[in-house]
Amino acid sequence: MALGPTQRVFSAAKRLLKSLIANSETRLRLAVFELEEERARLLVLLLLAGASLLLLLLGIATLTALVVVLFWDSYRLTAIAISAGVLIGASLLLAVIAIRQSKQHSLLKETLKQLAADRALLEEPSDETIRRHR
């Protein structure tokens, strides 16, 4: 049984809508997957960074105490000042590195790349598509 023009248009529109919904669902699943991966990675990163910082703090405190005790009789104020200067300088350097790292964008990178590719396909017809319509 042959379909009329109106039925063919509705059928084509229905297929197009199904295709758009399926494509959107795929992109949404990719975004959710990337967010779950990023959350797990950040949790592990925070735990490792916290433990590392705690151990570093204890080590630096012990080392600073050792330096001050070694120079207590002759240069105690100089030893304290130099230790404090080194610690403050190192903390400023690490703060600058942390700020640079925080500016790097990596959240949903693959999802954004796929959406950009989809948009490019919709906006610019390819040479092959133009040749087919001529």
Side-chain angles (χ1 to χ4, degrees), residues 63-75:
L63 184 61
T64 303
L66 175 67
V67 169
V68 170
V69 167
L70 282 175
F71 293 102
W72 188 258
D73 292 332
S74 54
Y75 301 106

Side-chain angles (χ1 to χ4, degrees), residues 1 18 21 28 30 36 38 40 45 48 53 55-56 65 70 80 83 90 95 98 100 110 117 129-130:
M1 174 169 141
K18 282 182 182 180
I21 289 172
L28 184 61
L30 177 62
E36 288 174 351
E38 191 66 21
L45 183 63
L48 288 174
L53 286 174
L55 293 174
L56 181 64
L70 282 175
I80 292 171
S83 296
R100 285 185 184 167
E110 290 300 318
T129 305
I130 293 171

Side-chain angles (χ1 to χ4, degrees), residues 1 27 41 53 65 69 90 114 118:
M1 174 169 141
R27 297 303 181 243
R41 188 184 74 79
L53 286 174
V69 167
Q114 287 297 323
D118 292 346

Side-chain angles (χ1 to χ4, degrees), residues 121 123-134:
L121 286 174
E123 289 176 354
E124 296 181 17
S126 66
D127 291 337
E128 187 175 317
T129 305
I130 293 171
R131 276 188 244 131
R132 277 191 221 152
H133 290 292
R134 286 186 183 174

Side-chain angles (χ1 to χ4, degrees), residues 28-110:
L28 184 61
R29 287 180 189 268
L30 177 62
V32 168
F33 179 73
E34 282 189 84
L35 285 172
E36 288 174 351
E37 258 188 0
E38 191 66 21
R39 183 187 62 178
R41 188 184 74 79
L42 283 175
L43 181 63
V44 168
L45 183 63
L46 284 173
L47 289 173
L48 288 174
S52 175
L53 286 174
L54 180 64
L55 293 174
L56 181 64
L57 178 66
L58 290 172
I60 289 173
T62 305
L63 184 61
T64 303
L66 175 67
V67 169
V68 170
V69 167
L70 282 175
F71 293 102
W72 188 258
D73 292 332
S74 54
Y75 301 106
R76 70 176 151 249
L77 293 179
T78 306
I80 292 171
I82 290 174
S83 296
V86 168
L87 292 174
I88 290 171
S91 70
L92 291 175
L93 177 66
L94 290 176
V96 169
I97 292 171
I99 290 170
R100 285 185 184 167
Q101 289 291 325
S102 70
K103 290 182 180 178
Q104 293 180 354
H105 177 69
S106 65
L107 187 63
L108 298 176
K109 187 187 294 186
E110 290 300 318

